[in-house]
Structure formats: C-alpha cells, structure tokens
Amino acid sequence: MSAPEFIDLGFARMDVDRLSRTGDPEVVYGAGKTPEQVTGAMHALRAAHPDTPILATRLSDAAMARCTDEFGVDVVDPVSRTAVVGPERTPVGTVAIACGGTSDLPVARECAATVAVFGARADLVVDVGVAGLHRLLAERDRIARADVVVAIAGMEAALPSVLGGLVGSPLIAVPTSVGYGWHLDGLTAWLGMLNSCAPGVLTVNVDNGFGAGVAAARIARRTPSCADANG
C-alpha cells in the first residue's frame, strides 16, 4: 500500500508527498493559525520527513513562544518571525541577500531562513542601500560571487536596478512596505522594481522574502551542477 499523499489533521491537510514531487517539504504558513495548530503541523511534517528541516513562517508572538517551548530556543528567529526544526541541509550554491536598510531585515531574514531550509547557503549583506552607494560598492565582489542575488528594498526601491548593472547573476527583487509618507504599503517599491531599467530583474510580491528565498535556493542548487556538466 502506498504512503498517503496528505495527512488530515482536522484543521489542515499536510502535503507530505510534496518532498518527493518537488524536492522540498511543505512549509507551515503561521498567519491566522493558533499556536497549537502551528506546532501540530510542524510535528506532523517532522514525523513524515525526519531527515529534512521544516520551516514555519509569519508566526505570531504566541506561536513563537509555543515553538520555543516545544522545540527549543534556538529554533525561533524573532526578527524574521520564523521557526526551523530538523537537521540542516548540506548547502549547494550560494544566494547573496542584499537589503537596503535595517528596516528591511525582517523580510531579508525570512528570505535567508528559507534559502537555508531549501538547500542553499544564504549570505546576508545588510544596509547597502543606494542612498550611500559606497556601502554597496564595498560589497560588490562578495555579492557578485553568489550564484543568485536577492535584492530587498523599500522606499523608491532602486537597489535591484543598481545591482542589475553591477552583477551578472540571476537577480530577484523583493519590494518592502518600508518608507516615509504615502508609499502605498510597498506598492511604490513594487512598481519601481517591475519597471527596472536593468535587464534580468525578476520581481516577487511585497514583503515576500519567503517566495524569493524558495526561487533563489532552487536556482542556486542547480547552478553548480550545470556548471560542472558544461565543463
């Protein structure tokens, strides 16, 4: 008899077949879930995938406290509001995650946690916004060495356009809902990134560090093997 494709917990049906289909297990999206539902889903995924890390995102304070109680203090990152349980994956490829300012750190750290869980090495480069271009140029070589670059910024969101003219790696832009005045909850940054003058810039939704991290890790995981195959 084949293994079940999902586990019915009553409040959720956990897709335990996703790892075999895609190479990555289901992630627990914590927003709107009770602390008990979050940890219950994580326990179910851990039991199904004991050799793979399990990620929970967008956790409430109460859910983070519950995860700390059940899994340990080192599991939770209060900045990104994530929790990761299980063994680390051996990283393949590197993702440089450059963020414009400290205010972008919650999204940047969510992206970094996701990259690690999805099997690549995350190199977080903080506070390199274009208002002080020398800070970005000082890290140019470090960022350029990565297989994939994620550029995270709010306000006018110029960082991806500048990086797109400096490095040749695949570049994923993440707009954040950060800025003075009426920035329309990140819509200004999103439109700026969509209209980037730099070629090859791909844009995800506002504050979506998770989505960018998944895509970046999957690209990075394949990049070294493709390079080896091509000699």
Side-chain angles (χ1 to χ4, degrees), residues 147-173:
D147 299 296
V148 186
V149 176
V150 177
I152 300 174
M155 300 203 180
E156 87 286 20
L159 181 61
S161 292
V162 174
L163 274 173
L166 294 175
V167 303
S169 306
L171 199 157
I172 301 171

Side-chain angles (χ1 to χ4, degrees), residues 36-62:
E36 294 76 17
Q37 288 172 338
V38 168
T39 55
M42 294 180 75
H43 280 298
L45 290 172
R46 281 285 294 128
H49 311 303
D51 299 323
T52 305
I54 301 301
L55 171 67
T57 65
R58 304 299 168 100
L59 300 177
S60 66
D61 289 342

Side-chain angles (χ1 to χ4, degrees), residues 83-223:
V84 180
V85 295
E88 294 182 1
R89 291 176 69 165
T90 301
V92 178
T94 299
V95 178
I97 303 165
C99 68
T102 307
S103 297
D104 301 310
L105 267 179
V107 177
R109 289 179 69 101
E110 178 185 73
C111 183
T114 304
V115 165
V117 166
F118 277 69
R121 187 177 77 87
D123 183 15
L124 185 57
V125 185
V126 178
D127 200 18
V128 288
V130 299
L133 190 58
H134 56 292
R135 299 176 300 188
L136 177 61
L137 295 177
E139 301 289 356
R140 175 184 173 182
D141 291 343
R142 172 184 171 187
I143 296 170
R145 285 193 294 268
D147 299 296
V148 186
V149 176
V150 177
I152 300 174
M155 300 203 180
E156 87 286 20
L159 181 61
S161 292
V162 174
L163 274 173
L166 294 175
V167 303
S169 306
L171 199 157
I172 301 171
V174 185
T176 62
S177 52
V178 170
Y180 291 109
W182 195 33
H183 53 77
L184 305 177
D185 292 325
L187 177 61
T188 301
W190 181 70
L191 290 173
M193 290 179 174
L194 282 179
N195 287 280
S196 173
C197 63
V201 175
L202 305 174
T203 305
V204 299
N205 211 337
V206 178
D207 292 335
N208 190 9
F210 168 74
V214 172
R218 287 178 170 174
I219 295 169
R221 282 180 355 212
R222 291 177 176 268
T223 300

